């Protein structure tokens, strides 16, 4: 009889946001007259920028003519997009990255889960705690995380780096030596980040330990402080220890369009084996490329018009973040984030658990957020709100919360 991957059976419960969706659905069915405002899942609400729409329309027209039709995309992605990425995301910041080190994909979530396939099953991973759930869950599926302890909500073979109010939600070097280090900066869910000098320390640490950093830069466009790096490759030595993941979901509103890319430098090796070559083999075998239309849309984000329009969208969401942060502070909450990221991280009141506060907000304010415990054990007692709603809904949600 066929066998299943038993590692999937180790996963506790359903994916965090699936659980939230089920709870909201049940509440809606029981209270059809309630107007629910969703500030939980980090999904954008503003329409695609005009420059992007124009590029997509043009690409659609090209697909309707034999002489300009496009089938399978090149393995790494179209040269026009990879060149735009090199010029705008790397060379402009003094980073030494070439087009053949960029792998276009359908998003950073996919890449963050898939990238671990090129690493051995005995590698130990280190994650910030709290952390984006996909990093841990995808490693559970691969059998890399050991045994789950339901009481502590931790895995025996995972190295947790607590990010708490006491250390400013900034990860500290682990006491045990990891093989793979996941860093998401600016951070999801806490909204915090570190300085370029602090990031350089992580690069130095990884090179010394022989570890690889999986660097998720999905929220890079929201950085507002000058001493925060926009790419890990701004740090000396990063080419020999870091893989960077980028997404167009949050900076360009592509959550429903799907586009991202991974950077795997050719200098990154395990002994004599090139990780760039390994990822190219995996990419070519298991992925047929992001659609031509979507890659043209990605290219448009680098045009002068596209850059200006995306900057306005980021400012729109960060205005929401400031509104949420100010409103919560006025209501007496202890609040973090909202400066370099579109997330607000707040301490739950009256010693409520994260899920108790979720139910409290849903029942009494009809506002949906995300329980901090869903991001890891150190997230207990905290709660995440996103700035991706409309400004009108954001104002309404804060007004409701202030009245509680």
């Amino acid at each position: 009889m066929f066998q299943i991957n038993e590692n999937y059976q180790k996963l506790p419960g359903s994916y965090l946001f699936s659980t939230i969706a089920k709870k909201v659905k049940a509440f809606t069915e029981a209270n059809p007259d309630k107007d629910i405002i969703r500030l939980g899942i980090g999904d954008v609400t503003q329409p695609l920028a005009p420059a992007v729409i124009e590029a997509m329309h043009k690409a659609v027209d090209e697909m309707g003519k034999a002489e300009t039709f496009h089938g399978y995309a090149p393995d790494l992605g179209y040269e026009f997009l990879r060149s735009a990425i090199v010029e705008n995301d790397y060379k402009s910041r003094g980073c030494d990255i070439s087009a053949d080190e960029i792998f276009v994909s359908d998003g950073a979530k996919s890449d963050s889960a898939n990238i671990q396939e090129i690493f051995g099953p005995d590698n130990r991973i280190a994650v910030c705690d709290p952390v984006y759930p996909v990093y841990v869950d995808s490693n559970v599926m691969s059998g890399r995380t050991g045994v789950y302890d339901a009481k502590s909500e931790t895995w025996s073979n995972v190295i947790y780096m607590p990010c708490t109010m006491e250390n400013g939600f900034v990860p500290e070097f682990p006491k045990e030596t990891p093989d793979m280090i996941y860093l998401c900066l600016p951070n999801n869910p806490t909204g915090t980040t570190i300085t370029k000098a602090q990031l350089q320390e992580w690069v130095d640490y990884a090179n010394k330990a022989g570890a690889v950093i999986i660097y998720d830069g999905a929220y890079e466009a929201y950085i507002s402080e000058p001493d925060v790096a926009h790419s890990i490759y701004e740090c000396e030595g990063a080419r020999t220890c870091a893989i960077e993941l980028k997404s167009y979901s949050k900076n360009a509103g592509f959550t429903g369009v799907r586009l991202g890319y991974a950077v795997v430098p050719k200098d990154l090796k395990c002994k004599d084996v090139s990780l760039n070559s390994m990822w190219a083999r995996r990419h070519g075998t298991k992925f047929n490329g992001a659609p031509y239309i979507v890659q043209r849309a990605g290219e448009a984000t680098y045009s002068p018009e596209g850059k200006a329009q995306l900057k306005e969208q980021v400012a729109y969401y960060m205005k929401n973040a400031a509104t949420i942060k100010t409103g919560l502070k006025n209501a007496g909450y202890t609040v973090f984030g909202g400066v370099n990221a579109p997330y607000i991280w707040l301490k739950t009141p009256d010693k409520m658990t994260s899920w108790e506060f979720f139910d409290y907000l849903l029942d009494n304010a009809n506002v949906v957020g995300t329980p901090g415990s869903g991001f890891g054990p150190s997230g207990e007692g905290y709660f995440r709100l996103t700035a991706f709603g409309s400004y009108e809904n954001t104002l309404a949600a804060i007004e409701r919360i202030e009245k509680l």
Side-chain angles (χ1 to χ4, degrees):
M1 183 176 180
F2 68 87
Q3 303 293 313
I4 62 169
N5 181 348
E6 293 290 348
N7 293 312
Y8 277 70
Q9 306 308 302
K10 299 176 183 178
L11 289 165
S14 61
Y15 183 54
L16 170 62
F17 297 106
S18 298
T19 302
I20 291 173
K22 291 176 183 176
K23 289 177 75 74
V24 174
K25 181 181 178 183
F27 180 86
T28 302
E29 290 174 350
N31 302 274
D33 59 322
K34 299 294 184 182
D35 176 26
I36 297 174
I37 298 177
R38 292 170 170 80
L39 299 181
I41 296 176
D43 196 1
V44 296
T45 54
Q46 294 300 294
L48 295 173
V52 170
I53 292 296
E54 183 179 348
M56 294 180 80
H57 277 301
K58 182 179 178 182
V60 168
D61 289 340
E62 290 179 29
M63 295 294 281
K65 301 175 183 177
E67 60 271 22
T68 52
F69 173 80
H70 290 79
Y72 290 127
D75 280 356
L76 273 65
Y78 285 100
E79 190 277 334
F80 61 77
L81 177 58
R82 289 184 292 116
S83 293
I85 291 169
V86 168
E87 292 298 324
N88 292 276
D89 290 347
Y90 294 101
K91 281 191 176 180
S92 65
R93 294 179 179 131
C95 302
D96 179 22
I97 296 296
S98 59
D100 58 359
E101 296 173 319
I102 293 169
F103 299 80
V104 177
S105 71
D106 60 354
K109 180 179 181 179
S110 300
D111 284 342
S112 66
N114 294 332
I115 197 71
Q116 47 82 28
E117 287 188 26
I118 66 174
F119 296 98
D122 296 329
N123 284 313
R124 291 198 71 186
I125 68 167
V127 296
C128 295
D129 174 30
V131 70
Y132 183 44
V134 174
Y135 308 151
V136 174
D137 287 359
S138 61
N139 278 281
V140 173
M141 294 171 181
S142 297
R144 196 176 282 120
T145 55
V147 179
Y148 183 69
D149 181 350
K151 186 175 182 181
S152 64
E153 297 183 332
T154 59
W155 294 90
S156 62
N157 206 40
V158 173
I159 299 171
Y160 292 88
M161 301 181 291
C163 298
T164 65
M165 187 166 61
E166 288 69 30
N167 63 14
F169 302 102
V170 173
E172 299 172 359
F173 298 125
K175 295 177 182 177
E176 300 175 87
T177 303
D179 301 300
M180 300 163 61
I181 304 167
Y182 285 81
L183 294 178
C184 176
L185 297 166
N187 184 261
N188 175 17
T190 66
T192 55
T193 192
I194 60 178
T195 65
K196 182 178 178 180
Q198 289 174 309
L199 184 58
Q200 181 66 60
E201 292 177 0
W202 277 100
V203 169
D204 295 341
Y205 171 85
N207 276 318
K208 184 177 180 180
V212 62
I213 296 174
I214 311 299
Y215 190 80
D216 187 345
Y219 301 95
E220 167 272 320
Y222 292 84
I223 293 172
S224 63
E225 295 178 322
D227 61 344
V228 177
H230 287 257
S231 167
I232 196 170
Y233 301 115
E234 293 179 41
C235 297
E236 185 178 352
R239 284 184 55 85
T240 57
C241 71
I243 293 173
E244 184 164 274
L245 312 179
K246 288 288 185 71
S247 168
Y248 294 83
S249 288
K250 304 308 185 337
N251 69 322
F254 280 24
T255 53
V257 175
R258 307 310 305 151
L259 187 66
Y261 64 85
V263 181
V264 187
K266 285 175 282 188
D267 294 345
L268 181 56
K269 297 180 179 181
C270 179
K271 297 179 181 178
D272 294 328
V273 179
S274 165
L275 269 67
N276 178 281
S277 297
M278 288 185 70
W279 186 239
R281 186 70 170 87
R282 191 270 172 202
H283 209 62
T285 301
K286 291 192 173 185
F287 185 63
N288 268 337
Y292 171 75
I293 297 166
V294 173
Q295 293 197 46
R296 280 297 186 191
E299 179 192 29
T301 67
Y302 297 108
S303 69
E305 298 81 8
K307 287 181 180 179
Q309 291 160 10
L310 265 56
K311 189 175 181 180
E312 288 181 6
Q313 286 197 354
V314 168
Y316 178 94
Y317 292 129
M318 290 309 288
K319 180 181 178 182
N320 287 350
T323 299
I324 295 171
K325 190 168 187 176
T326 300
L328 290 176
K329 281 186 173 181
N330 291 340
Y333 289 88
T334 301
V335 190
F336 310 92
V339 176
N340 294 298
Y343 294 120
I344 303 298
W345 189 244
L346 64 112
K347 193 167 179 59
T348 58
D350 304 323
K351 297 183 179 180
M352 287 187 190
T353 68
S354 298
W355 280 107
E356 285 173 347
F357 189 65
F358 174 90
D359 292 333
Y360 174 74
L361 272 192
L362 182 58
D363 292 341
N364 297 283
N366 307 146
V367 172
V368 177
T370 309
S373 60
F375 298 100
S378 290
E380 181 55 83
Y382 293 92
F383 201 77
R384 192 193 76 174
L385 292 175
T386 83
F388 287 122
S390 69
Y391 182 63
E392 293 74 21
N393 278 348
T394 299
L395 281 177
I398 293 305
E399 288 176 359
R400 293 181 189 181
I401 294 173
E402 287 177 329
K403 291 177 181 177
L404 295 177

